[in-house]
Amino acid sequence: MKILSIQSAVAYGHVGNSAAVFPLQRIGVEVLPVYTVNFSNHTGYGSWRGPLISPDDVREVITGIEERGVLSEIDVVLSGYQGGEGIGEVIIDAVARVKAANPTAIYACDPVMGNAKSGCFVAPAIPQLLRERVVPAADIITPNQFELGYLTGTEPKTLKETLAAVDVARAMGPSAVLVTSVEQPHRDSSTIEMLAVDERGAWIVETPLLPMKANGSGDVTAALFTAHYRSSRDASDALARTTSSVFDLLERTHLSCERELQLVEAQESYAHPRMQFSARQVR
C-alpha cells in the first residue's frame, strides 16, 4: 500500500506527518509525505519557528511526484490540519489527479477544526471549506465528536444522536466515518469511546480515559485507521486494531511523564497490536 500524506511537519515532537508517517511505515505502508508547514515544534507550545509552505509550493511537490509517474501506484491520499483555504484546494486537486491515475484510490480526510474543550480553533473559512468542498470529495473522514457536530450542524451527545450525525455526514459524500473522542453523557467518566460506521454497520469501542492531552494522537489514529480499513475493508477490525495501538501509545506516553508522544518507543504497538479492546456492533 502507498499513501500520499499531505500534512504539517515538525522537527521536534510528533504532529501531522511527523506523527503519521512512522506508524504507517511500521505496519508496512509506503508513505509519500508532502509537507504543508515545516515548523520547529507544534504551535501548542505558544512559540515556534519555520515556514508555512505556500499552496503553490505544495502543488509543485505533488506535480513533481506526478512527473515520476507514481500517482497510479497511490492507494490513499491522506490529509489532516489545513491551515488555509489554498491548501484545501491543492489537496482536492491532488485527490482528483490521483483518482484519475488510479480509479481505485481513496481519499481520507481528518477534518481538523477543534474539540469540545477548546472550541473551533481554525480560520473562519475552514469549516465552510471542509463542509462544501473537502468532505464531499472524501471517502473516509475521521472527525472527533465535536467536529462531527460542526460539520453537520448538529450537537451529538448520545450514541443515537452521534449515529444520526454520522448519517448526515455520510450523505455528504464519505462512505466511512470514524468518530473519535465520543463522550456520551451517561458514560462512566473514566472511559471514552470511538465509533466507526460504513455501509455494513456501526461499531463502538470503549477504553479507559487517560488524564492527559497528547498532541498528534489524532493524526496517528486517522493514519492507522485509514490504512487498516483500506487493507481489510472491515470497519470493526480496523477500529479494534487502531484503538489497541493508540491506547498503548498514549499509555506509554502518560507513564513517561513526557509532553510529546513516545512514538518510537511504542512502535511494537503498531506492528503487533495486543487487540485488548473489541468493537461492539451498535447498528
Side-chain angles (χ1 to χ4, degrees):
M1 185 188 305
K2 288 186 179 179
I3 293 182
L4 176 67
S5 182
I6 308 171
Q7 301 194 56
S8 60
V10 295
Y12 174 70
H14 303 291
V15 299
N17 269 332
S18 301
V21 172
F22 178 65
L24 288 172
Q25 292 172 329
R26 197 63 182 83
I27 64 172
V29 175
E30 183 74 31
V31 187
L32 287 71
V34 175
Y35 301 145
T36 56
V37 309
N38 189 13
F39 287 167
S40 56
N41 50 269
H42 69 70
T43 59
Y45 284 97
S47 64
W48 63 93
R49 295 181 182 271
L52 288 165
I53 299 174
S54 75
D56 287 343
D57 286 339
V58 176
R59 193 188 303 271
E60 279 292 291
V61 172
I62 295 167
T63 298
I65 295 170
E66 184 177 38
E67 290 170 348
R68 302 286 72 76
V70 298
L71 292 194
S72 61
E73 302 171 14
I74 291 172
D75 301 290
V76 179
V77 179
L78 173 66
S79 71
Y81 172 75
Q82 298 182 20
E85 297 174 74
I87 292 295
E89 294 299 333
V90 171
I91 291 168
I92 292 168
D93 178 63
V95 170
R97 291 202 229 176
V98 168
K99 288 191 172 186
N102 178 12
T104 67
I106 64 170
Y107 170 38
C109 169
D110 186 8
V112 179
M113 290 182 285
N115 55 60
K117 291 182 179 178
S118 303
C120 191
F121 51 62
V122 296
I126 296 300
Q128 182 177 355
L129 174 70
L130 287 169
R131 279 194 301 265
E132 296 181 2
R133 298 275 289 129
V134 180
V135 169
D139 300 284
I140 300 172
I141 58 171
T142 59
N144 60 39
Q145 191 177 31
F146 170 84
E147 291 162 342
L148 175 66
Y150 220 83
L151 281 174
T152 58
T154 63
E155 294 185 8
K157 293 182 174 63
T158 66
L159 177 59
K160 182 178 179 180
E161 291 168 345
T162 304
L163 287 168
V166 168
D167 289 341
V168 173
R170 292 185 66 235
M172 297 165 67
S175 58
V177 178
L178 174 72
V179 187
T180 63
S181 300
V182 175
E183 299 184 20
Q184 297 190 62
H186 302 300
R187 80 188 198 287
D188 181 335
S189 61
S190 66
T191 66
I192 196 164
E193 295 170 309
M194 280 204 294
L195 173 73
V197 183
D198 67 4
E199 67 276 3
R200 296 173 184 166
W203 292 265
I204 198 164
V205 64
E206 179 185 276
T207 72
L209 175 61
L210 297 171
M212 61 181 292
K213 178 183 179 182
N215 294 88
S217 58
D219 302 318
V220 177
T221 301
L224 288 177
F225 178 82
T226 295
H228 289 313
Y229 185 74
R230 172 63 174 175
S231 177
S232 68
R233 301 290 184 175
D234 184 334
S236 173
D237 180 71
L239 178 61
R241 288 182 179 278
T242 301
T243 303
S244 174
S245 296
V246 173
F247 180 82
D248 279 357
L249 166 63
L250 291 175
E251 186 174 51
R252 181 179 285 267
T253 301
H254 178 56
L255 293 174
S256 74
C257 298
E258 296 288 339
R259 177 168 180 172
E260 293 291 342
L261 290 175
Q262 300 299 288
L263 198 75
V264 174
E265 293 79 356
Q267 62 181 287
E268 285 302 307
S269 299
Y270 327 134
H272 305 106
R274 292 190 293 137
M275 304 302 288
Q276 69 272 40
F277 303 107
S278 57
R280 173 173 60 91
Q281 188 162 10
V282 292
R283 191 170 68 186

